Amino acid sequence: MKEKQNLAAAAQDCMAYLPGMEIIESDILREVQHAADSVDFNAFTERDIKAALMRKHKTVQDFAALLSPAALPFLEEMAQQARQLTFKWFGAARSIFTPLYLANYCENYCVYCGFNCHNKINRLKLDEDGMEREMQAIAATGLREILLLTGESRSMSGVEYIASAVRLARKYFAVVGLEVYPLNSDEYAYLHECGADYVTVFQETYDVDAYAKLHLAGHKRVFPYRFYTQERALKGGMRGVAFAPLMGLSGFCRDIFACGLHAYLVQRKYPAAEISFSCPRLRPAEGNELPPEANGTDLRHLVQAVCAYRLFMPQAGITVSSREGAGVRDNLLQIVATKISAGVSTGIGTHSKQEREGDEQFEIDDNRSVDEVFNSIKKAGLQPVLTDGSYV
Ligand code: SF4
């Protein structure tokens, strides 16, 4: 792999934009990198953590302290404060949605992902009939919110293709989110007109050196274009945007800190934006070239990350995906999570059991149906909600 990394690094500077990529006026990347480079997470002490926990409105410095190794013995206190804030801002409502994978073609080479362009998997792209069959099968479960995903291939899943999926989805769902390759703001404006209003893009890691070693080819290699996706989406009129690093790819404290600060600065610049975090931990995937230990981010770190997000940005949504098992997800719904997926498949054409199906992106850990998740939320004394927004 080292040889491939050297070749890729020589071929393409990961900080240089490629032709056609929109460059927006923003200083947030510089601010985030400067702040993340300035923090010594090992220097925080028990006293810093106690001071951070005492403060009603957590500062950026408090957020860093709560992500440090010194905060681990305080996880219980963090969780209690986080739970209070979650109930204060969101009450008992917990939203349910499902992802729909439209295509699994990808032009990028991310060494940890089963969809990467060198991986020999069954590639498939749903046509309009296939999309509609999938949407009908999902709508029949009662869901009102859907997240449309593709691999990152402009040539196989162009903007017009995504637009046709969005228009169809609007027939069946109240809320349509997108998790596709990063686009320019005029393209987001177009997809918003078609009916989408939420954009999720994971930065994967905020450590530029690690990013360059993990993303060896394709448009995704361009770090700043990906970083500014949320801003371009908001400029295009989207209601909300989601942020996340992929835990396990690089240093935990720095990545979560940088992600939280990124979201915080975007919120400050776009006060009306609905901000949310996801908390994906790396999962086993066919073709993942990383060592097995990368798939094992400590569960305590996951809890620390989501509690720190909640304490730092109390009004931000937090989504917990089916990468986690049912027990972990149910517990997180009591503490921090506001949204959960259900009836999940990361393959193509699997909801309606189509004749040809495309391979899955990664293994999921919670296979519960929509009914099962709905009932388990109710049983826990919470309120399952099938849509938490309306398209404007
Ligand atoms: S992580 Fe996304 S961009 Fe990278 S190979 Fe997988 S699908 Fe493609």
Side-chain angles (χ1 to χ4, degrees):
M1 187 167 95
K2 194 151 183 58
E3 202 178 310
K4 288 181 200 158
Q5 286 173 355
N6 291 341
L7 278 175
Q12 191 189 329
D13 173 2
C14 77
M15 295 305 284
Y17 283 80
L18 294 172
M21 289 181 168
E22 179 185 4
I23 301 175
I24 59 169
E25 284 281 313
S26 180
D27 207 26
I28 292 183
L29 174 54
R30 194 197 56 75
E31 265 192 77
V32 167
Q33 296 296 25
H34 175 72
D37 288 343
S38 311
V39 179
D40 177 358
F41 291 95
N42 289 317
F44 290 107
T45 63
E46 189 181 315
R47 206 165 145 197
D48 298 320
I49 311 306
K50 286 183 174 160
L53 286 170
M54 290 284 289
R55 221 177 324 272
K56 188 169 176 202
H57 301 290
K58 310 297 188 242
T59 63
V60 172
Q61 193 65 7
D62 292 336
F63 179 49
L66 293 172
L67 290 168
S68 71
L72 275 175
F74 293 88
L75 271 191
E76 183 57 39
E77 285 95 323
M78 286 173 67
Q80 279 173 16
Q81 279 196 17
R83 181 176 153 83
Q84 278 172 13
L85 287 169
T86 303
F87 278 86
K88 175 176 170 187
W89 288 102
F90 297 90
R94 304 291 182 264
S95 315
I96 310 177
F97 75 104
T98 208
L100 169 57
Y101 282 73
L102 301 169
N104 61 4
Y105 290 91
C106 188
E107 288 156 12
N108 293 316
Y109 184 11
C110 309
V111 301
Y112 50 84
C113 176
F115 278 9
N116 87 51
C117 61
H118 295 296
N119 213 357
K120 304 275 177 274
I121 60 169
N122 282 328
R123 304 276 175 183
L124 194 68
K125 168 181 161 181
L126 295 174
D127 59 17
E128 288 212 14
D129 286 347
M131 287 176 194
E132 188 142 23
R133 283 203 297 277
E134 287 285 272
M135 289 175 193
Q136 284 167 343
I138 292 169
T141 66
L143 284 179
R144 302 282 294 134
E145 173 165 352
I146 196 166
L147 177 67
L148 302 178
L149 295 97
T150 62
E152 299 201 7
S153 169
R154 260 190 193 264
S155 59
M156 292 304 291
S157 324
V159 174
E160 232 2 276
Y161 174 75
I162 298 168
S164 64
V166 171
R167 281 191 289 260
L168 260 184
R170 285 292 301 160
K171 275 173 53 183
Y172 297 98
F173 303 98
V175 175
V176 181
L178 293 175
E179 189 170 339
V180 301
Y181 49 89
L183 299 162
N184 290 344
S185 57
D186 59 339
E187 294 168 320
Y188 283 123
Y190 174 53
L191 293 174
H192 178 56
E193 255 175 49
C194 294
D197 72 351
Y198 212 95
V199 169
T200 296
V201 169
F202 297 163
Q203 188 63 29
E204 319 295 14
T205 174
Y206 285 79
D207 174 335
V208 176
D209 291 339
Y211 189 93
K213 287 178 188 146
L214 293 163
H215 304 96
L216 301 182
H219 279 147
K220 187 167 177 181
R221 187 163 166 81
V222 182
F223 183 95
Y225 185 66
R226 194 167 191 90
F227 183 93
Y228 283 122
T229 302
Q230 284 86 355
E231 285 199 57
R232 293 192 306 276
L234 293 171
K235 281 176 187 294
M238 294 289 175
R239 167 175 61 99
V241 285
F243 297 77
L246 179 52
M247 283 186 244
L249 289 185
S250 189
F252 161 79
C253 305
R254 191 188 186 285
D255 263 356
I256 301 294
F257 174 72
C259 176
L261 187 59
H262 183 190
Y264 172 81
L265 294 172
V266 168
Q267 182 80 88
R268 221 169 54 177
K269 190 167 168 186
Y270 305 87
E274 195 180 304
I275 301 282
S276 70
F277 293 105
S278 297
C279 46
R281 290 194 289 172
L282 197 57
R283 294 283 305 153
E286 184 69 33
N288 177 353
E289 297 175 29
L290 294 181
E293 57 273 19
N295 294 317
T297 304
D298 194 326
L299 179 59
R300 290 179 317 153
H301 277 148
L302 169 67
V303 175
Q304 186 180 14
V306 290
C307 288
Y309 284 145
R310 171 65 66 234
L311 298 183
F312 181 49
M313 291 184 66
Q315 297 170 63
I318 295 180
T319 303
V320 54
S321 85
S322 55
R323 290 169 182 263
E324 301 299 333
V328 170
R329 300 175 94 206
D330 287 350
N331 280 331
L332 290 181
L333 283 172
Q334 291 289 348
I335 306 170
V336 289
T338 52
K339 188 176 277 193
I340 183 169
S341 51
V344 175
S345 161
T346 65
I348 317 288
T350 44
H351 291 279
S352 53
K353 308 215 177 335
Q354 301 195 8
E355 223 167 84
R356 276 195 63 214
E357 294 180 356
D359 282 346
E360 299 188 334
Q361 187 179 24
F362 53 82
E363 294 170 21
I364 60 173
D365 215 4
D366 183 356
N367 293 301
R368 285 178 299 172
S369 67
V370 174
D371 273 352
E372 286 170 320
V373 171
F374 189 97
N375 289 330
S376 120
I377 292 176
K378 258 173 77 175
K379 206 165 146 203
L382 300 167
Q383 186 193 352
V385 171
L386 293 175
T387 172
D388 70 341
S390 31
Y391 178 80
V392 200

